[in-house]
Amino acid sequence: MAIQFNCVSSMLILVLLSISSVEGQGGGGGGVIDVVAKFGSKADEKRDLSKPLLVAWKEACATTSPAKIVIPKGIYFLSTATLDGPCKAPIELQVEGTVKALANPGAFKEPKWITFNRIENFKLFGGGLFDGQGTTAYKREGCKNHDYCGSLPINLRFDFLTNAMIQDITTKDSKQFHVNPKHRWDSHRGSDGVNVLNSEIKTGDDCVSIGDGSKNLVINGVTCGPGHGISIGSLGLFKNEEPVDGVTVKNCSFTNTSNGVRIKTWPGAERGICSNIHFEDITVTNVSSPIIIDQKYCPWNKCKINEESKVKLSNISFKNIHGTSALPEAVKIICSATLPCENVELADIEITHSGPTGPAVSQCSNVKPKVSGKQNPAPCSAPLPAKPTPTT
């Protein structure tokens, strides 16, 4: 299993594998470094693991031979840590125990708890758990009087990584995103060549949230629920967003989620491009909106809902998607009147709904999808309501 998520957080998740390129250099030894045996760290949930981990990382990163750092079984407290590269050889972090963050969200001045930065040939594994202790943060108490709410920490950040693998790790109760591979927090540049494989995600927001600039992304074998589904976007909110190009979501299942597979863009905002998006072999069980393109995405009514989206969507396919919808509107493809969706394909769709509100229906706007195979509900057969229900 590539990554296991056992998440109760009400925030977002974005996951896994490689980002940008970094160059290494020359140095001494290698081997295995046990942070308990060598640096006297204790699994007592009181002593801060930060300093022993940083010292071990510095030593391992400086060697010219492959090195591994081990956090043994036990429960540890870690305030915050940024593990910087470039390292001189491949490096691994084997986490067998549970690592806990500070519960108080006000203790974090930056949006990060544990960050891996500018590393090439890195592996994080071991069956361990990262517990962000985010329950207090979900209440948002004190936000009017404090600035910490704008900088709630991500459990695991991966910035500027190349050839990285995160495997058999659980992240729990993050105060914000669980896992975020990104170039920079304050940049809109996304990731290239990321694979999210065989993962279980349970959250209060998007199971996987795909931002602008994401390219060549593969999501395969993800189990999502509860949550808001796997979402591209929202797009078009900020100036100078980079295109999303090349996303494949395959062999995934959704249970009791608010959405299944989704693309969402803001109306009346900024220009953007999203293309070459493929959703295939998807199972939905009691999902409110199993298939959805929403170019009128307007949560909390904070947008220019009467204007059209300026994000161009093209080359999008939904193939072999089956299961049950919690609401009649099983398929919703709501595109921009200014920039209609191009080359959208619906193939072998079988989604049913049973209830007093009637069978499953399909709604379309500003799109002429190519249709093949079995189609239930009949594509684009139902009228749009005067006021569509906002999605989250």
Side-chain angles (χ1 to χ4, degrees):
M1 179 174 285
I3 293 188
Q4 179 184 5
F5 287 95
N6 179 15
C7 311
V8 188
S9 163
S10 61
M11 300 304 292
L12 309 176
I13 304 175
L14 213 169
V15 215
L16 190 60
L17 200 47
S18 68
I19 306 180
S20 123
S21 61
V22 186
E23 295 188 3
Q25 332 175 57
V32 178
I33 302 173
D34 186 316
V35 295
V36 171
K38 185 163 185 177
F39 297 104
S41 181
K42 299 291 184 183
D44 57 9
E45 299 185 59
K46 295 179 181 179
R47 303 188 197 188
D48 193 348
L49 182 65
S50 178
K51 185 175 180 180
L53 177 59
L54 290 170
V55 172
W57 181 268
K58 185 176 180 180
E59 179 179 319
C61 192
T63 68
T64 54
S65 300
K68 177 167 67 176
I69 300 167
V70 177
I71 300 176
K73 291 182 179 180
I75 302 176
Y76 303 85
F77 157 66
L78 190 151
S79 57
T80 185
T82 297
L83 305 175
D84 286 316
C87 296
K88 296 178 180 178
I91 187 167
E92 298 180 351
L93 177 58
Q94 181 174 328
V95 179
E96 300 173 353
T98 294
V99 181
K100 286 189 172 184
L102 287 161
N104 178 16
F108 295 86
K109 305 306 178 187
E110 296 182 89
K112 58 183 181 178
W113 176 32
I114 301 172
T115 301
F116 300 88
N117 181 45
R118 297 184 180 276
I119 309 163
E120 188 172 4
N121 299 319
F122 168 65
K123 184 177 181 181
L124 171 63
F125 69 109
L129 183 149
F130 293 91
D131 185 351
Q133 297 209 90
T135 306
T136 303
Y138 308 155
K139 299 176 183 178
R140 313 288 292 181
E141 292 177 349
C143 285
K144 292 183 180 179
N145 302 317
H146 299 86
D147 61 2
Y148 72 79
C149 294
S151 60
L152 290 171
I154 296 164
N155 263 14
L156 301 175
R157 276 182 53 173
F158 300 100
D159 296 345
F160 296 99
L161 301 194
T162 301
N163 299 328
M165 176 174 284
I166 294 83
Q167 183 175 21
D168 193 22
I169 289 294
T170 299
T171 169
K172 174 185 176 184
D173 290 347
S174 180
K175 296 178 176 69
Q176 211 211 110
F177 289 87
H178 278 268
V179 177
N180 189 11
K182 201 170 184 179
H183 283 288
R184 288 177 57 85
W185 171 256
D186 57 354
S187 166
H188 298 305
R189 290 178 298 165
S191 304
D192 191 345
V194 173
N195 297 304
V196 185
L197 309 173
N198 304 325
S199 304
E200 180 182 1
I201 305 175
K202 302 176 181 180
T203 186
D205 210 293
D206 295 341
C207 287
V208 181
S209 176
I210 302 159
D212 74 287
S214 299
K215 298 178 181 179
N216 305 312
L217 170 63
V218 174
I219 300 171
N220 194 323
V222 167
T223 299
C224 171
H228 291 184
I230 294 178
S231 298
I232 296 175
S234 55
L235 303 176
L237 183 59
F238 302 103
K239 290 183 181 295
N240 302 317
E241 289 185 354
E242 293 193 356
V244 175
D245 185 14
V247 176
T248 298
V249 179
K250 191 172 182 178
N251 298 320
C252 294
S253 63
F254 302 82
T255 303
N256 299 324
T257 53
S258 56
N259 304 286
V261 289
R262 173 170 64 157
I263 302 172
K264 50 181 176 174
T265 75
W266 290 83
E270 302 298 328
R271 295 186 178 276
I273 298 173
C274 178
S275 59
N276 301 311
I277 313 298
H278 304 291
F279 304 103
E280 186 173 353
D281 300 335
I282 305 295
T283 301
V284 294
T285 304
N286 196 43
V287 172
S288 296
S289 297
I291 296 173
I292 179 168
I293 292 177
D294 184 4
Q295 294 210 261
K296 289 283 188 179
Y297 178 70
C298 186
W300 317 291
N301 294 316
K302 293 184 176 180
C303 66
K304 300 174 182 177
I305 191 64
N306 294 322
E307 296 186 17
E308 298 297 326
S309 174
K310 300 173 185 175
V311 179
K312 180 64 176 180
L313 305 184
S314 62
N315 300 332
I316 300 164
S317 65
F318 301 91
K319 295 182 178 180
N320 190 26
I321 300 178
H322 62 275
T324 59
S325 176
L327 299 174
E329 298 82 14
V331 179
K332 290 192 285 189
I333 305 178
I334 313 303
C335 297
S336 169
T338 303
L339 296 169
C341 296
E342 291 186 354
N343 193 22
V344 174
E345 181 179 3
L346 295 171
D348 297 309
I349 307 298
E350 176 63 37
I351 303 174
T352 60
H353 169 75
S354 59
T357 50
V361 298
S362 173
Q363 300 172 335
C364 296
S365 177
N366 304 306
V367 62
K368 295 180 180 179
K370 176 185 176 182
V371 176
S372 64
K374 188 172 183 179
Q375 294 288 327
N376 182 25
C380 305
S381 57
L384 285 174
K387 292 185 177 180
T389 303
T391 61
T392 54

